[in-house]
Amino acid sequence: MVFSGDTGAYIEGGIVSVDKRWLSIAWSRPPFYNLFLYLTHWRWSLWPAVFAQGLLLSHLIWLVHKATHADVRPLRFVLTGIALMVLTTAPWFVGLLLPDFFTALVVLSLFVLAFGRQPLSRAEYVYVFLLAVASILTHYSHISLAAGLLVVTLVLRGLREGVSGLLRREHLFVLAALSMAIATLFGIQRVFQNERGFAPYKDLFILARLIGDGTALESLRERCPDAGFRLCAKIDRIEVREGDPYTTSDRFLWAPESPLYAIGVRAVRDEAPAIIRATLEDHANRQIGLSMKNWGIQLLAQETGSWLEPFGTQPGDGTTRTIERYFPSELDDFLAARQNTGDLQLSLFSSIHQVVTALAVLIGLGIAWRRWPERENPVSPLFFFLLAALLGNSLTAGVLSRPDDRYMSRLTWVFVLYVLLALSGRGLSVSGTSSSRSA
């Protein structure tokens, strides 16, 4: 499954990087998912990428089982996998060629680093560390997600173990994974783009959100032309769709006729911080209210497959063009796929996923609350770790980007995993001794 032209851009980015022996870095995304796709398809077929994502997730779930129960019972593991496939959005992201797949891997791998060190072998722990770094690198939003989860880890440790819990060396591995990812992004931006910062164009996404919410446009109209912004001369070219602030922000970022491209992406990027400051000076209270509204909308957005339009049938689709150029033998199958023929039966899956997710959150909260007094049991911290991840993910997406069902659905399935783990055994002591291993 693919998403708009984004999938095609990731595929082509990896191929161009290898051909030119120089990282091809788009202003809007890091290059590491590009390279992941190349290492799995080798210009032969896109199917190995899907199998690679499935193997990565399956193995990590195996390690999460081990981290929480000290051992892994094959039957329990298989039943967990079947339940996730049938009842959750997990397979929909395993089959989607997009870095959204790695968001859940960021969360689960960081939990294993923070709370599951003792049951794992040294090789397994090193592997999870490297997987965490690689997963963080696939998307800029994963940086803020990982940073927030580091803070959550410290809070949970402090609440459960006091000051001594804050001094555990596992925290250093979480910090090291985040630091290594940030340092890598800084390095590639400096070497390949001569840019400073790990995400030099992040302010453009914030500006687009403020434009979509209407506050930035009002500030520009009030302050221009005296403010001297280049965007002042092109305000009329910003397409405003009344009642649809999210389409407005998307059009500003991606539409070819957007003033962003008429002026120049870098030029608008350079003045974006000043426009953002001016907007917050003029409309701080209103923008805070709109941001909280966007966060709330994002928290409730979970319609499975709403992002799986029949892109291949749309004229000029970038992914179709990329597949036709680099994988011509797969083009006919791609165009005949259920996504492009409209045969995915999305409404049925969406209803099941929404009900199951809601039940999993409620059941999970009850289990975690009941087991919180069990100080040596990692089941309770796992739930609150996942809940913090969901809240942080929705905050980043809703406030800094735009509410979208895809951003929520890529992570909600972990609560079903939590319930399955919690009900399959009493869990493992975080100090390394089993509190109970009853199935």
Side-chain angles (χ1 to χ4, degrees), residues 306-327:
S306 63
W307 57 89
L308 295 175
E309 299 176 25
F311 298 108
T313 62
Q314 298 176 4
D317 174 61
T319 298
T320 304
R321 185 172 60 251
T322 300
I323 292 175
E324 182 178 20
R325 179 177 180 181
Y326 297 106
F327 302 92

Side-chain angles (χ1 to χ4, degrees), residues 246-295:
Y246 310 124
T247 298
T248 298
S249 60
D250 277 356
R251 299 286 299 174
F252 176 78
L253 285 173
W254 312 118
E257 61 273 16
S258 168
L260 179 61
Y261 301 102
I263 299 170
V265 174
R266 180 171 292 189
V268 178
R269 183 277 307 269
D270 291 342
E271 65 181 21
I275 300 176
I276 293 170
R277 284 195 299 272
T279 301
L280 294 179
E281 289 173 2
D282 297 341
H283 307 287
N285 292 335
R286 181 184 168 197
Q287 185 57 55
I288 291 173
L290 290 169
S291 295
M292 293 301 99
K293 176 184 176 182
N294 293 334
W295 187 14

Side-chain angles (χ1 to χ4, degrees), residues 1-3 86-89 91-93 95-96 302-311 337-355 405-406 409:
M1 294 176 284
V2 304
F3 176 73
V86 174
L87 300 174
T88 78
T89 58
W92 293 79
F93 287 93
L96 181 65
Q302 190 199 345
E303 183 179 350
T304 303
S306 63
W307 57 89
L308 295 175
E309 299 176 25
F311 298 108
R338 287 184 175 87
Q339 180 178 355
N340 287 320
T341 60
D343 295 329
L344 283 177
Q345 303 298 327
L346 298 174
S347 59
L348 172 63
F349 288 107
S350 181
S351 299
I352 293 173
H353 295 161
Q354 289 175 5
V355 171
D405 295 285
R406 191 178 91 247
S409 297

Side-chain angles (χ1 to χ4, degrees), residues 376-411:
E376 296 183 343
N377 193 321
V379 171
S380 286
L382 173 57
F383 176 83
F384 293 111
F385 191 89
L386 297 179
L387 183 61
L390 190 72
L391 293 173
N393 173 72
S394 60
L395 178 66
T396 301
V399 175
L400 301 182
S401 180
R402 65 185 290 272
D404 190 279
D405 295 285
R406 191 178 91 247
Y407 297 147
M408 202 68 172
S409 297
R410 65 189 179 184
L411 202 52

Side-chain angles (χ1 to χ4, degrees), residues 87-106:
L87 300 174
T88 78
T89 58
W92 293 79
F93 287 93
V94 167
L96 181 65
L97 297 182
L98 211 63
D100 292 59
F101 161 76
F102 279 96
T103 304
L105 268 65
V106 171

